[in-house]
Amino acid sequence: MIAYFLRRVLHMIPVFVGVTCITFALMNLTPGDPAEIMLRGASGVQPSQEAIEAAREAMGLNDPVYKQYAAWLWRVVHLDLGRSYSSNLPVWQELTDRLPATLLLGMWALAAMLAISLPLGIGSALYPHSWADRLARVIAMLSVSMPGYWLGLLLVYYGSVKLKLFPVMGMDGLRSVVLPALTLGIGMAGNYIRVIRSGLLDVLGTSYIKAARAKGLQESLVIGRHAVVNALLPVMTMLGINIGGLLGGSVIVETIFSWPGIGKFAVDAIFKKDFIVIQGYVLLMAVFVVSVNLAVDLCYRMIDPRIRLR
């Protein structure tokens, strides 16, 4: 397992280089001058051409693209993500200041998703073609059909405007996390309901489940210890993908609810053409996604001893 872990860590390096290289190239193809945007934002007026040229020289934007990328990559090797063009603060500080808010939102979104999908998926598999099964499948269909931004606005309208139970936006206490977490959790729950139902139905038809029942084991023990555990392997794969997606893909939800996380911070950086911030954000998200997927692969071996890591 140690050799497998080390090989996977080495494989991360070309992934990180490729992701950041593509992002750097795409950002340089977008219209707009970061130096001009920075000066206009600082003074509120249109800067002169001389001021723009001086700022470009100071920011290193007059260098060829490959030199800009190489200089940034060299700093990253030394654990320096550079300074934001717009705030002049270290990018690492900007990201770590906002990361706890995104982690909090992701944690509660996963909790909401599991609270919805586990009972509905398991109940749907245990009682196929029943009213519970039909209800679970309808909820799953609605979940995967509703766009996240529309669901978020709907929850804001009923939960904040009509019922006045939760804050409309911002991060102010535990109540403020309910609506954005539900938006993300409900949006993910549909796929998990389907996967849990399908996996559990397959496991319930295997010979070792029939043997466990033939030995007289309690049904709760058969389902809980043998069936559900083995049916969770595909769920773990989806969790590995979605955890990374929650950190990097909750941009829309954070924007709707003005949640002070790294997703909204990245959107603001894109509008400001703050290349350094965007590069740091992409690198951080790549680290999270690859690391979580590695952890999921290692957990496979712990859950199912028949799996061998190669």
Side-chain angles (χ1 to χ4, degrees):
M1 183 177 289
I2 295 177
Y4 173 82
F5 175 78
L6 293 176
R7 286 197 301 270
R8 287 291 298 270
V9 171
L10 290 176
H11 291 165
M12 292 180 185
I13 297 175
V15 172
F16 297 152
V17 173
V19 168
T20 56
C21 185
I22 293 172
T23 306
F24 202 90
L26 290 176
M27 288 306 303
N28 278 274
L29 292 174
T30 57
D33 189 342
E36 182 181 351
I37 295 174
M38 181 190 69
L39 292 174
R40 190 188 304 124
S43 61
V45 297
Q46 178 65 31
S48 64
Q49 190 61 36
E50 292 79 7
I52 294 175
E53 288 300 326
R56 286 184 59 84
E57 186 66 30
M59 297 162 65
L61 298 177
N62 289 330
D63 296 333
V65 174
Y66 70 90
K67 284 189 176 181
Q68 297 180 40
Y69 177 73
W72 176 83
L73 198 59
W74 178 253
R75 291 196 302 268
V76 170
V77 173
H78 293 81
L79 303 180
D80 179 15
L81 296 180
R83 287 182 171 271
S84 168
Y85 292 159
S86 55
S87 66
N88 200 33
L89 293 174
V91 173
W92 182 252
Q93 176 186 334
E94 296 266 42
L95 292 174
T96 52
D97 286 347
R98 293 166 174 80
L99 184 59
T102 297
L103 291 176
L104 177 67
L105 176 58
M107 179 187 69
W108 283 105
L110 283 177
M113 180 274 295
L114 292 173
I116 297 170
S117 60
L118 277 177
L120 289 177
I122 294 173
S124 178
L126 294 179
Y127 305 101
H129 308 298
S130 65
W131 65 268
D133 183 24
R134 289 192 289 270
L135 176 63
R137 284 189 283 180
V138 168
I139 293 175
M141 182 185 65
L142 291 175
S143 171
V144 299
S145 302
M146 289 186 295
Y149 64 87
W150 181 82
L151 178 60
L153 293 175
L154 195 66
L155 291 177
V156 167
Y157 179 73
Y158 285 103
S160 298
V161 178
K162 285 292 187 181
L163 300 178
K164 303 185 185 304
L165 296 176
F166 307 103
V168 177
M169 57 183 62
M171 183 179 176
D172 183 20
L174 192 58
R175 288 197 310 152
S176 60
V177 78
V178 173
L179 294 184
L182 281 177
T183 302
L184 290 171
I186 293 174
M188 293 187 299
N191 288 325
Y192 282 89
I193 293 172
R194 292 176 173 180
V195 170
I196 293 172
R197 180 183 185 275
S198 175
L200 193 53
L201 284 175
D202 291 339
V203 171
L204 290 174
T206 57
S207 57
Y208 65 86
I209 295 295
K210 297 177 182 178
R213 285 171 169 164
K215 287 191 297 184
L217 292 179
Q218 294 182 355
E219 187 67 13
S220 59
L221 191 62
V222 173
I223 300 299
R225 178 174 295 182
H226 299 286
V228 172
V229 171
N230 287 282
L232 289 181
L233 286 176
V235 175
M236 288 183 58
T237 302
M238 292 181 62
L239 274 175
I241 298 172
N242 286 137
I243 289 176
L246 281 175
L247 296 175
S250 57
V251 174
I252 295 176
V253 173
E254 288 188 3
T255 303
I256 291 175
F257 292 95
S258 294
W259 189 260
I262 56 177
K264 186 177 184 301
F265 178 59
V267 171
D268 295 338
I270 291 172
F271 283 114
K272 297 174 183 177
K273 293 212 64 170
D274 200 335
F275 291 158
I276 299 296
V277 169
I278 297 169
Q279 284 291 99
Y281 170 79
V282 170
L283 181 62
L284 183 63
M285 291 304 100
V287 170
F288 271 118
V289 171
V290 175
S291 301
V292 169
N293 280 276
L294 174 59
V296 169
D297 290 345
L298 295 176
C299 288
Y300 279 170
R301 181 67 177 84
M302 299 171 62
I303 291 180
D304 192 345
R306 297 171 299 173
I307 294 177
R308 294 291 181 266
L309 299 175
R310 297 185 182 275

